[in-house]
Coordinates of all heavy atoms in Angstrom, one line a residue:
M253 N 81.5 69.9 82.0 CA 82.6 70.5 81.6 C 82.3 71.9 81.0 O 83.1 72.8 81.1 CB 83.4 69.6 80.6 CG 84.7 70.0 80.3 SD 85.7 69.9 81.8 CE 87.3 70.1 81.2
Q254 N 81.2 72.0 80.4 CA 80.7 73.2 79.8 C 80.5 74.3 80.8 O 80.8 75.5 80.6 CB 79.4 73.0 79.0 CG 79.0 74.2 78.1 CD 80.0 74.3 76.9 OE1 80.7 73.4 76.5 NE2 80.0 75.5 76.3
I255 N 80.0 73.9 82.0 CA 79.8 74.9 83.1 C 81.1 75.4 83.6 O 81.2 76.6 83.8 CB 79.0 74.2 84.2 CG1 77.6 73.8 83.8 CG2 79.0 75.0 85.5 CD1 76.8 73.0 84.8
F256 N 82.1 74.6 83.6 CA 83.4 75.0 84.1 C 84.0 76.1 83.1 O 84.5 77.1 83.5 CB 84.4 73.9 84.2 CG 85.8 74.3 84.6 CD1 86.0 74.6 85.9 CD2 86.8 74.4 83.7 CE1 87.3 74.9 86.3 CE2 88.1 74.8 84.1 CZ 88.3 75.1 85.4
R257 N 83.9 75.8 81.8 CA 84.4 76.7 80.8 C 83.6 78.0 80.7 O 84.2 79.1 80.4 CB 84.4 76.1 79.4 CG 85.7 75.3 79.1 CD 85.7 74.9 77.7 NE 85.5 73.4 77.7 CZ 85.0 72.8 76.7 NH1 84.7 73.4 75.6 NH2 84.9 71.5 76.8
Q258 N 82.3 78.0 80.9 CA 81.5 79.2 80.8 C 81.5 80.0 82.1 O 81.4 81.3 82.0 CB 80.1 78.8 80.4 CG 80.0 78.5 79.0 CD 78.5 78.3 78.6 OE1 77.7 78.1 79.4 NE2 78.2 78.3 77.3
Y259 N 81.5 79.4 83.2 CA 81.3 80.2 84.5 C 82.5 80.2 85.4 O 82.9 81.2 85.9 CB 80.1 79.7 85.2 CG 78.8 79.8 84.4 CD1 78.2 78.7 83.8 CD2 78.2 81.0 84.2 CE1 77.1 78.8 83.1 CE2 77.1 81.2 83.5 CZ 76.5 80.0 82.9 OH 75.4 80.2 82.1
I260 N 83.1 79.0 85.7 CA 84.1 78.9 86.7 C 85.4 79.4 86.3 O 86.1 80.2 87.0 CB 84.2 77.4 87.2 CG1 82.8 77.0 87.8 CG2 85.3 77.3 88.2 CD1 82.7 75.5 88.1
A261 N 85.9 79.0 85.1 CA 87.2 79.5 84.6 C 87.3 81.0 84.5 O 88.2 81.6 84.9 CB 87.6 78.8 83.3
P262 N 86.3 81.6 83.8 CA 86.3 83.1 83.7 C 86.3 83.8 85.1 O 86.9 84.8 85.3 CB 85.1 83.5 82.9 CG 84.8 82.3 82.1 CD 85.2 81.1 83.0
F263 N 85.5 83.2 86.0 CA 85.5 83.7 87.4 C 86.8 83.7 88.1 O 87.3 84.6 88.7 CB 84.4 83.0 88.2 CG 84.3 83.5 89.6 CD1 83.8 84.7 89.9 CD2 84.9 82.7 90.7 CE1 83.7 85.1 91.3 CE2 84.8 83.1 92.0 CZ 84.2 84.4 92.3
I264 N 87.5 82.6 87.9 CA 88.9 82.4 88.5 C 89.8 83.4 87.9 O 90.6 84.1 88.6 CB 89.4 81.0 88.3 CG1 88.6 80.0 89.2 CG2 90.9 80.9 88.6 CD1 88.9 78.6 88.9
V265 N 89.7 83.7 86.6 CA 90.6 84.6 85.9 C 90.3 86.0 86.4 O 91.3 86.8 86.7 CB 90.4 84.6 84.4 CG1 91.1 85.7 83.7 CG2 90.9 83.2 83.8
V266 N 89.1 86.4 86.6 CA 88.7 87.7 87.1 C 89.2 87.9 88.5 O 89.7 89.0 88.9 CB 87.2 88.0 86.9 CG1 86.8 89.2 87.7 CG2 86.8 88.0 85.5
V267 N 89.1 86.9 89.3 CA 89.5 87.0 90.7 C 91.0 87.1 90.8 O 91.5 88.0 91.6 CB 89.1 85.7 91.5 CG1 89.8 85.6 92.9 CG2 87.6 85.8 91.7
I268 N 91.8 86.4 90.0 CA 93.2 86.6 90.0 C 93.6 88.0 89.5 O 94.5 88.6 90.1 CB 93.9 85.5 89.1 CG1 93.7 84.1 89.8 CG2 95.3 85.8 88.8 CD1 94.2 83.0 88.9
F269 N 92.9 88.5 88.5 CA 93.2 89.8 88.0 C 92.9 90.9 89.1 O 93.7 91.8 89.3 CB 92.4 90.1 86.8 CG 92.4 91.6 86.4 CD1 93.5 92.1 85.7 CD2 91.4 92.4 86.7 CE1 93.6 93.4 85.3 CE2 91.5 93.8 86.3 CZ 92.6 94.2 85.6
L270 N 91.8 90.7 89.8 CA 91.5 91.7 90.9 C 92.5 91.6 92.0 O 92.9 92.6 92.6 CB 90.1 91.4 91.4 CG 89.0 91.8 90.4 CD1 87.6 91.4 90.9 CD2 89.0 93.3 90.0
L271 N 92.9 90.4 92.4 CA 93.9 90.3 93.4 C 95.2 90.9 93.0 O 95.9 91.6 93.8 CB 94.2 88.8 93.8 CG 93.1 88.1 94.6 CD1 93.3 86.6 94.7 CD2 93.0 88.8 96.0
A272 N 95.6 90.7 91.8 CA 96.9 91.4 91.3 C 96.7 92.9 91.3 O 97.7 93.6 91.7 CB 97.2 90.9 89.9
M273 N 95.6 93.4 90.9 CA 95.4 94.8 90.9 C 95.4 95.4 92.3 O 96.0 96.5 92.5 CB 94.1 95.2 90.2 CG 93.9 96.6 89.8 SD 92.6 97.0 88.7 CE 91.2 96.5 89.7
V274 N 94.8 94.7 93.2 CA 94.8 95.2 94.6 C 96.3 95.2 95.2 O 96.7 96.1 95.8 CB 93.9 94.3 95.5 CG1 94.2 94.6 97.0 CG2 92.5 94.6 95.2
A275 N 97.0 94.1 94.9 CA 98.4 94.1 95.4 C 99.3 95.2 94.8 O 100.1 95.8 95.5 CB 99.0 92.7 95.0
V276 N 99.1 95.5 93.5 CA 99.9 96.5 92.9 C 99.5 97.9 93.4 O 100.3 98.8 93.6 CB 99.8 96.4 91.3 CG1 100.4 97.6 90.7 CG2 100.5 95.2 90.9
S277 N 98.2 98.1 93.5 CA 97.7 99.5 93.9 C 97.9 99.7 95.4 O 97.7 100.8 95.9 CB 96.3 99.7 93.5 OG 95.4 98.7 94.0
A278 N 98.2 98.7 96.2 CA 98.4 98.8 97.6 C 99.6 99.6 97.9 O 99.8 100.2 99.0 CB 98.5 97.5 98.3
R279 N 100.5 99.7 96.9 CA 101.7 100.6 97.1 C 101.4 102.0 97.4 O 102.2 102.7 98.1 CB 102.6 100.5 95.8 CG 103.1 99.2 95.5 CD 103.8 99.3 94.2 NE 104.4 100.6 93.9 CZ 105.3 100.9 93.1 NH1 105.8 100.0 92.4 NH2 105.8 102.1 92.9
I280 N 100.3 102.5 97.0 CA 99.9 103.9 97.2 C 99.8 104.2 98.6 O 100.1 105.3 99.1 CB 98.6 104.2 96.4 CG1 98.7 104.0 94.9 CG2 98.1 105.6 96.7 CD1 97.4 104.0 94.2
F281 N 99.3 103.2 99.4 CA 99.0 103.5 100.8 C 100.2 103.2 101.8 O 100.1 103.3 103.0 CB 97.8 102.7 101.2 CG 96.6 103.0 100.4 CD1 96.2 102.1 99.4 CD2 95.9 104.2 100.5 CE1 95.1 102.4 98.6 CE2 94.8 104.5 99.7 CZ 94.4 103.6 98.8
L282 N 101.3 102.7 101.2 CA 102.5 102.4 102.1 C 103.1 103.7 102.4 O 103.1 104.7 101.7 CB 103.4 101.5 101.3 CG 103.0 100.1 101.0 CD1 104.0 99.4 100.2 CD2 102.7 99.4 102.3
P283 N 103.7 103.8 103.6 CA 104.3 105.1 104.1 C 105.4 105.6 103.2 O 105.5 106.8 102.9 CB 104.9 104.8 105.5 CG 104.5 103.4 105.8 CD 103.9 102.7 104.6
G284 N 106.3 104.7 102.7 CA 107.3 105.2 101.8 C 106.9 105.3 100.4 O 107.7 105.9 99.6
D285 N 105.8 104.8 100.0 CA 105.2 104.9 98.7 C 106.0 104.1 97.6 O 105.6 104.0 96.5 CB 105.0 106.3 98.2 CG 104.2 106.4 97.0 OD1 103.4 105.5 96.7 OD2 104.3 107.5 96.3
L286 N 107.2 103.6 98.0 CA 108.0 102.9 97.0 C 108.3 103.6 95.8 O 108.7 103.0 94.7 CB 107.4 101.5 96.7 CG 107.2 100.5 97.9 CD1 106.5 99.3 97.4 CD2 108.5 100.2 98.5
A287 N 108.1 104.9 95.7 CA 108.4 105.7 94.5 C 109.8 106.3 94.5 O 110.2 106.8 93.5 CB 107.4 106.8 94.5
A288 N 110.5 106.2 95.6 CA 111.9 106.7 95.6 C 112.8 105.8 94.8 O 112.6 104.6 94.7 CB 112.4 106.8 97.0
P289 N 113.8 106.4 94.1 CA 114.7 105.5 93.4 C 115.5 104.6 94.3 O 115.7 104.9 95.5 CB 115.6 106.5 92.6 CG 115.5 107.8 93.4 CD 114.1 107.8 94.0
A290 N 116.1 103.6 93.7 CA 116.9 102.6 94.5 C 118.2 103.3 95.0 O 118.7 104.1 94.2 CB 117.2 101.4 93.7
P291 N 118.7 103.0 96.2 CA 119.9 103.6 96.6 C 121.1 103.1 95.7 O 121.2 102.0 95.3 CB 120.1 103.1 98.0 CG 119.2 101.9 98.1 CD 118.1 102.1 97.1
T292 N 122.0 104.0 95.5 CA 123.2 103.7 94.6 C 124.5 103.9 95.3 O 125.5 103.9 94.7 CB 123.1 104.6 93.4 OG1 123.1 106.0 93.8 CG2 121.9 104.4 92.5
E293 N 124.5 104.0 96.7 CA 125.8 104.2 97.3 C 126.6 103.0 97.3 O 126.1 101.9 97.1 CB 125.6 104.7 98.8 CG 125.0 103.6 99.7 CD 123.5 103.7 99.9 OE1 122.9 104.7 99.4 OE2 122.9 102.9 100.6
E294 N 127.9 103.2 97.5 CA 128.9 102.1 97.5 C 128.7 101.2 98.7 O 128.3 101.7 99.8 CB 130.3 102.6 97.4 CG 130.6 103.3 96.1 CD 130.5 102.4 94.9 OE1 131.0 101.3 95.0 OE2 130.1 102.9 93.8
L295 N 129.1 99.9 98.6 CA 129.1 99.1 99.8 C 130.2 99.5 100.7 O 131.3 99.8 100.3 CB 129.4 97.6 99.4 CG 128.2 97.0 98.5 CD1 128.7 95.6 98.0 CD2 127.0 96.9 99.3
S296 N 129.9 99.5 102.0 CA 130.9 100.0 103.0 C 131.6 98.9 103.7 O 132.6 99.1 104.3 CB 130.2 100.9 104.0 OG 129.2 100.1 104.7
Y297 N 131.1 97.6 103.6 CA 131.8 96.5 104.3 C 132.4 95.6 103.3 O 131.7 95.2 102.3 CB 130.8 95.8 105.2 CG 130.1 96.6 106.2 CD1 128.8 97.1 106.1 CD2 130.9 97.0 107.4 CE1 128.3 97.9 107.1 CE2 130.3 97.8 108.3 CZ 129.0 98.2 108.2 OH 128.5 99.0 109.2
P298 N 133.6 95.1 103.5 CA 134.2 94.2 102.5 C 133.5 92.9 102.5 O 133.5 92.2 101.5 CB 135.7 94.0 103.1 CG 135.9 95.1 104.1 CD 134.6 95.6 104.5
Q299 N 132.9 92.5 103.6 CA 132.2 91.2 103.6 C 131.0 91.2 102.7 O 130.7 90.3 102.0 CB 131.7 90.8 105.0 CG 132.8 90.6 106.0 CD 133.2 91.9 106.7 OE1 132.7 92.9 106.5 NE2 134.2 91.8 107.6
E300 N 130.3 92.3 102.7 CA 129.1 92.5 101.8 C 129.6 92.4 100.3 O 128.9 91.8 99.5 CB 128.4 93.8 102.0 CG 127.6 93.8 103.4 CD 126.9 95.1 103.6 OE1 126.9 95.9 102.6 OE2 126.5 95.4 104.7
E301 N 130.7 93.1 100.0 CA 131.2 93.2 98.7 C 131.6 91.8 98.2 O 131.3 91.3 97.1 CB 132.3 94.1 98.6 CG 132.8 94.4 97.2 CD 133.8 95.5 97.1 OE1 133.9 96.3 98.0 OE2 134.6 95.5 96.1
A302 N 132.2 91.0 99.1 CA 132.7 89.7 98.8 C 131.5 88.7 98.6 O 131.5 87.9 97.6 CB 133.5 89.1 99.9
M303 N 130.4 88.9 99.3 CA 129.2 88.1 99.2 C 128.5 88.4 97.9 O 128.0 87.5 97.2 CB 128.3 88.3 100.3 CG 128.7 87.6 101.6 SD 127.5 87.6 102.9 CE 126.6 89.2 102.8
L304 N 128.5 89.6 97.4 CA 127.8 90.0 96.2 C 128.7 89.7 95.0 O 128.1 89.4 93.9 CB 127.4 91.4 96.2 CG 126.4 91.8 97.3 CD1 126.1 93.3 97.2 CD2 125.1 91.1 97.0
S305 N 130.0 89.7 95.1 CA 130.8 89.5 93.9 C 131.1 88.1 93.6 O 131.4 87.7 92.5 CB 132.1 90.3 94.0 OG 132.9 89.8 95.1
T306 N 131.1 87.2 94.6 CA 131.4 85.8 94.4 C 130.1 85.0 94.3 O 129.3 85.0 95.2 CB 132.2 85.3 95.6 OG1 133.2 86.2 96.0 CG2 132.9 84.0 95.3
P307 N 129.9 84.4 93.2 CA 128.7 83.6 93.0 C 128.8 82.3 94.0 O 129.8 81.8 94.2 CB 128.6 83.2 91.6 CG 130.0 83.3 91.1 CD 130.7 84.4 91.9
N308 N 127.6 81.9 94.5 CA 127.6 80.8 95.4 C 127.1 79.6 94.7 O 126.3 78.8 95.3 CB 126.7 81.2 96.6 CG 127.0 80.5 97.8 OD1 128.0 79.8 97.9 ND2 126.2 80.7 98.9
V309 N 127.6 79.3 93.5 CA 127.1 78.2 92.7 C 128.3 77.2 92.5 O 129.4 77.6 92.2 CB 126.6 78.6 91.3 CG1 126.1 77.4 90.5 CG2 125.5 79.6 91.5
H310 N 128.0 75.9 92.8 CA 129.1 74.9 92.7 C 128.5 73.8 91.8 O 127.4 73.3 91.9 CB 129.4 74.3 94.0 CG 129.9 75.3 95.0 ND1 131.2 75.9 94.9 CD2 129.3 75.9 96.1 CE1 131.4 76.7 95.9 NE2 130.2 76.8 96.6
F311 N 129.3 73.5 90.8 CA 129.0 72.4 89.9 C 129.9 71.2 90.2 O 131.1 71.3 89.9 CB 129.1 72.8 88.4 CG 128.1 73.9 88.0 CD1 128.6 75.2 87.9 CD2 126.8 73.6 87.8 CE1 127.7 76.2 87.6 CE2 125.9 74.6 87.5 CZ 126.4 75.9 87.4
W312 N 129.4 70.1 90.7 CA 130.3 69.0 91.1 C 130.1 67.9 90.1 O 129.2 67.5 89.6 CB 130.0 68.5 92.5 CG 130.2 69.6 93.5 CD1 129.3 70.5 94.0 CD2 131.4 69.9 94.2 NE1 129.9 71.3 94.9 CE2 131.2 70.9 95.0 CE3 132.7 69.3 94.1 CZ2 132.2 71.5 95.8 CZ3 133.7 69.8 94.9 CH2 133.4 70.9 95.7

């Protein structure tokens, strides 16, 4: 159990951190860069507006 706490657990934490850092920094290389602000135009279709305004939750 001591080997797990000293070597394996810290290694897993470091690997998860590195994977998260790679995933976040991969945005730099995407064509759109994801740096543009979110679109704010109005919905043009009544069906889309109805889907977004009406919650799809039922309590029976």
